[in-house]
């Protein structure tokens, strides 16, 4: 198939329009290659990538550590089924347990699956230890995935409305409001589930003591405290896991995105006393498969050995300071949100789409997280000079808008 470089839509994009279910409005770029924080499209154009595979490519594109782990494991053992012991998943579980407050691990293939597992685990716990309590309190503006149960957990109308009736047993309350959680806790409640920072909801940072108060409430009521760290985990906000910045330990934690730096993997972790699944009660054909676990093990080892979370904190602060300076120059910027390398730039108006397209034209990939906000989630290995370059492009885009 010939590739056109001049027309707005290339042949691949036309073919996609014919073949794909219309679940997404893609940007008019066909990406064919990536290296570090750069990607290239089908016409050879280079972009600085501050979307990072949607907060996934923690080590950037095609990092040699990931590539060689994949290549080696691909020649050794790719899939074996969980009927048998395999080594990479055990090594990865060990590394996760050694470096977190959790004791046990279950591997799956995505964030939604990890949360689905967390929901099932909390319900099992409720049946066994809380007189059959099954309700889970979650928050408006959250995002927990696209399966029916995780959509019910996701407190956003636009994800729920098309699929009503949804599975029962979820109560959505306002985020960053501990009293709202207290008000809906009943004898039916088995758990509270939140993100340390709401990612898809717009990069919403709660009060510093929100998670601490939630932990205390869960302890007082004997219910489970679940943290969805699918976006905040694996160094993204400047610590290996988000909970470490808030002085709390969850009973259950879910991971995905940055854990594999591009290979599809999710993980469900829990404390020993919460590990109540019996054999046969949960499972996955591909979950924990040797290929993805070998890659993920290499990623996590690299992140820990090189203390990337500390680098994220430093470079993230630099990024935030630069954004602050930029914000002071343009009236239509209303604020900056986030921590580490999960940052958002908010506008007074719904101009994010227009800004995303203008950035694209100047070679910078950013995400429109809300109609009035951009989100930045570059690879954790992004440098200050990459950030300077991105800020330079943003400034030009904003100046052009003023003219
Ligand atoms: C992305 C995300 C999910 C869903 O992960 P998928 O891999 O897309 O299923 C769940 N929770 C949070 C906080 C996320 O950011």
């Amino acid at each position: 198939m010939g590739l056109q470089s001049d027309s707005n839509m290339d042949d691949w994009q036309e073919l996609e329009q014919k073949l794909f279910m219309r679940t997404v409005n893609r940007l008019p770029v066909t990406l064919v290659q990536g290296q570090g924080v750069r990607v290239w499209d089908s016409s050879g154009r280079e972009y600085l990538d501050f979307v990072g595979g949607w907060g996934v490519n923690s080590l950037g594109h095609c990092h040699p550590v990931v590539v060689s782990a994949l290549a080696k494991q691909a020649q050794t053992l790719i899939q074996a089924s969980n009927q048998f012991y395999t080594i990479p998943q055990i090594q990865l579980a060990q590394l996760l347990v050694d470096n977190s407050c959790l004791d046990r691990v279950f591997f799956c293939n995505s964030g939604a699956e990890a949360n689905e597992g967390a929901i099932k685990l909390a319900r099992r716990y409720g049946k066994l230890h809380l007189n059959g309590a099954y309700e889970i309190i979650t928050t408006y503006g959250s995002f927990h995935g696209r399966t029916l149960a995780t959509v019910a957990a996701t407190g956003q109308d636009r994800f729920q409305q098309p699929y009503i009736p949804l599975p029962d047993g979820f109560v959505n309350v306002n985020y960053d409001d501990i009293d709202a959680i207290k008000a809906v806790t009943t004898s039916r409640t088995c758990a509270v589930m939140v993100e340390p920072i709401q990612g898809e909801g717009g990069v919403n940072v709660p009060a510093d003591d929100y998670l601490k108060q939630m932990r205390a409430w869960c302890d007082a009521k004997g219910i489970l405290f679940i943290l969805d760290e699918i976006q905040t985990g694996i160094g993204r906000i400047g610590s290996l896991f988000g909970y470490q910045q808030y002085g709390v330990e969850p009973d259950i934690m879910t991971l995905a995105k940055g854990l594999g730096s591009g290979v599809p993997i999710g993980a469900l972790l829990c404390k020993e006393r919460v590990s109540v699944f019996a054999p046969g009660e949960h499972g996955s054909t591909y979950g924990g498969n040797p290929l993805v676990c070998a890659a993920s093990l290499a990623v996590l080892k690299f992140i820990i050995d090189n203390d990337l979370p500390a680098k994220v904190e430093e470079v993230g602060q630099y990024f935030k300071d630069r954004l602050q300076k930029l914000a002071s120059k343009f009236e239509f910027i209303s604020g900056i949100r986030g921590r580490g390398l999960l940052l958002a730039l908010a506008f007074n108006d719904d101009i994010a789409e227009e800004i995303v397209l203008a950035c694209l034209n100047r070679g910078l990939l950013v995400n429109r997280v809300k109609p009035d906000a951009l989100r930045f989630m570059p690879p954790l290995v992004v440098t200050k000079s990459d950030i300077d370059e991105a800020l330079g492009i943003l400034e030009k885009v904003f100046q052009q808008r003023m003219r």
Side-chain angles (χ1 to χ4, degrees):
M1 174 155 314
L3 294 176
Q4 298 172 0
S5 56
D6 47 357
S7 90
N8 219 7
M9 189 179 282
D10 69 18
D11 291 348
W12 295 113
Q13 292 169 22
E14 267 170 36
L15 199 52
E16 191 270 3
Q17 302 277 318
K18 278 202 209 99
L19 298 172
F20 270 68
M21 295 192 199
R22 310 247 44 86
T23 61
V24 62
N25 289 319
R26 302 184 206 249
L27 293 168
V29 185
T30 305
L31 297 179
V32 295
Q33 204 186 334
Q35 191 64 56
V37 298
R38 320 257 153 190
V39 288
W40 288 267
D41 71 12
S42 50
S43 65
R45 235 196 117 184
E46 181 180 307
Y47 302 84
L48 187 55
D49 182 6
F50 274 44
V51 177
W54 212 272
V56 164
N57 298 318
S58 38
L59 303 192
H61 293 276
C62 301
H63 192 286
V65 153
V66 182
V67 172
S68 71
L70 276 173
K72 186 157 168 251
Q73 192 61 42
Q75 293 172 331
T76 308
L77 183 67
I78 294 176
Q79 160 77 6
S81 102
N82 284 311
Q83 181 94 75
F84 307 101
Y85 294 92
T86 52
I87 296 168
Q89 65 173 230
I90 301 168
Q91 293 174 311
L92 179 57
Q94 179 86 67
L95 198 58
L96 284 167
V97 165
D98 285 350
N99 288 280
S100 75
C101 67
L102 289 315
D103 306 307
R104 288 188 181 265
V105 181
F106 173 85
F107 290 117
C108 49
N109 315 288
S110 68
E113 272 179 80
N115 284 337
E116 189 83 20
I119 291 161
K120 288 172 76 178
L121 185 60
R123 286 196 175 191
R124 280 307 288 143
Y125 185 89
K127 254 196 211 320
L128 294 167
H129 298 299
L130 298 171
N131 296 314
Y134 62 93
E135 263 179 19
I136 299 178
I137 301 169
T138 62
T139 60
Y140 291 121
S142 62
F143 185 82
H144 298 297
R146 303 285 200 158
T147 64
L148 284 172
T150 56
V151 158
T154 294
Q156 298 197 53
D157 233 29
R158 69 191 171 102
F159 295 121
Q160 296 187 341
Q161 284 305 325
Y163 302 107
I164 283 173
L166 293 170
D168 220 355
F170 296 90
V171 183
N172 306 142
V173 300
N174 283 340
Y175 190 60
D176 198 14
D177 182 349
I178 189 68
D179 292 332
I181 289 172
K182 291 181 178 177
V184 299
T185 304
T186 68
S187 59
R188 290 188 304 277
T189 310
C190 68
V192 180
M193 175 159 93
V194 297
E195 298 155 82
I197 293 174
Q198 286 185 336
E200 302 307 312
V203 189
N204 306 315
V205 183
D208 283 344
D209 65 348
Y210 180 54
L211 296 186
K212 228 174 192 162
Q213 292 202 51
M214 204 179 301
R215 174 74 270 180
W217 179 249
C218 290
D219 287 341
K221 293 288 157 186
I223 58 179
L224 299 177
F225 176 42
I226 306 174
L227 282 182
D228 177 346
E229 293 242 22
I230 287 162
Q231 190 151 155
T232 52
I234 316 296
R236 177 57 54 188
I237 65 169
S239 47
L240 191 56
F241 305 107
Y243 73 79
Q244 293 165 325
Q245 296 188 31
Y246 294 94
V248 295
E249 293 189 354
D251 299 309
I252 298 175
M253 174 171 76
T254 53
L255 300 172
K257 295 206 165 89
L259 179 58
S261 194
V263 302
I265 185 167
L268 164 65
L269 293 91
C270 74
K271 294 274 197 188
E272 185 64 41
R273 73 178 178 89
V274 180
S275 184
V276 296
F277 281 142
E281 285 182 354
H282 195 48
S284 168
T285 298
Y286 291 123
N289 119 347
L291 186 71
V292 296
C293 285
S296 190
L297 175 67
V299 169
L300 191 59
K301 248 174 103 29
F302 185 91
I303 288 173
I304 292 168
D305 291 348
N306 292 281
D307 198 5
L308 285 195
K311 290 182 179 140
V312 166
E313 156 137 69
E314 197 206 325
V315 93
Q317 193 55 54
Y318 177 79
F319 194 175
K320 207 170 177 179
D321 291 345
R322 292 285 321 256
L323 284 172
Q324 210 86 54
K325 266 191 212 121
L326 192 65
S328 65
K329 290 189 204 166
F330 299 97
E331 273 184 356
F332 53 86
I333 300 177
S334 62
I336 289 137
R337 303 192 286 264
R339 274 193 185 197
L341 287 172
L342 179 58
L343 297 173
L345 188 66
F347 305 112
N348 290 325
D349 251 311
D350 289 353
I351 58 167
E353 186 77 42
E354 163 200 333
I355 301 294
V356 164
L357 291 170
C359 286
L360 195 62
N361 280 332
R362 289 181 182 270
L364 172 67
L365 306 185
V366 291
N367 168 245
R368 185 214 73 133
V369 71
K370 298 248 114 185
D372 65 350
L374 297 181
R375 174 173 46 173
F376 309 100
M377 39 188 173
L380 307 183
V381 295
V382 73
T383 63
K384 287 181 183 172
S385 92
D386 298 325
I387 288 168
D388 289 342
E389 191 180 333
L391 265 293
I393 293 173
L394 276 173
E395 180 152 15
K396 280 198 196 107
V397 164
F398 293 156
Q399 275 164 355
Q400 189 169 31
R401 202 175 172 274
M402 300 291 284
R403 265 187 244 125

